[in-house]
Amino acid sequence: MAGVDAPEAAHFGKPAQEYSQEALDWLKQRVEGKRVWCQLIHRDQYGRIVSIPMIKSFIPFRYRCVSLDMLRAGWADVYEQSNADYGKWGKDHFLSVLAEAQRAKRGMWAKGTSGETPSEYKKRHAAGAANKV
């Protein structure tokens, strides 16, 4: 999903990051069984498709950005690494939505902002893997 970075699930021998299951549960509840329209942005360095997922709004003929909804609910951070894309909303809007979720202590920000972000989690595990080589 373009523009966001959610807590990491357990994979490749790494433990799950705190709130990863809650973030996944939120996302499943939000999109499962619904028609999701994805605007293709690009493929990342791992060959994965990066897109902006949209679902129908309660307002006829309007769509909601799932990435922004996930940020608003507090289950993601803004992705700021290389090739980040924020669609028509732009990075500043994504950061503004994140700041509001943090102020309201929603989702993974319930205990404040001192917890490990998804990007910090990945950097820590990458550094640990490099030290083992």
Side-chain angles (χ1 to χ4, degrees):
M1 285 178 26
V4 295
D5 202 5
E8 295 288 312
H11 63 288
F12 304 122
K14 298 177 205 165
Q17 185 177 1
E18 186 176 20
Y19 299 114
S20 63
Q21 189 60 53
E22 294 90 337
L24 180 60
D25 291 345
W26 180 91
L27 184 60
K28 281 182 176 181
Q29 181 275 328
R30 188 80 176 140
V31 301
E32 204 164 50
K34 296 177 182 164
R35 185 169 293 194
V36 179
W37 177 78
C38 294
Q39 178 188 359
L40 176 64
I41 303 297
H42 63 265
R43 286 190 181 269
D44 69 8
Q45 65 269 31
Y46 305 108
R48 300 174 299 193
I49 294 172
V50 177
S51 66
I52 296 175
M54 306 286 286
I55 58 173
K56 278 189 176 180
S57 172
F58 60 91
I59 300 170
F61 308 107
R62 299 268 179 135
Y63 289 84
R64 295 186 59 85
C65 174
V66 178
S67 297
L68 284 169
D69 285 349
M70 193 168 196
L71 275 176
R72 197 171 286 111
W75 295 119
D77 195 8
V78 174
Y79 182 78
E80 298 186 77
Q81 305 303 314
S82 63
N83 292 324
D85 197 297
Y86 310 97
K88 66 182 182 181
W89 300 275
K91 183 178 179 181
D92 287 342
H93 183 65
F94 272 65
L95 290 170
S96 173
V97 170
L98 171 65
E100 172 54 31
Q102 289 173 331
R103 274 192 302 277
K105 297 188 177 207
R106 291 188 206 115
M108 67 183 194
W109 311 113
K111 298 177 186 172
T113 58
S114 62
E116 187 175 48
T117 66
S119 66
E120 291 166 344
Y121 173 90
K122 287 183 261 195
K123 286 176 190 170
R124 179 171 58 86
H125 281 280
N131 290 337
K132 289 181 182 179
V133 175

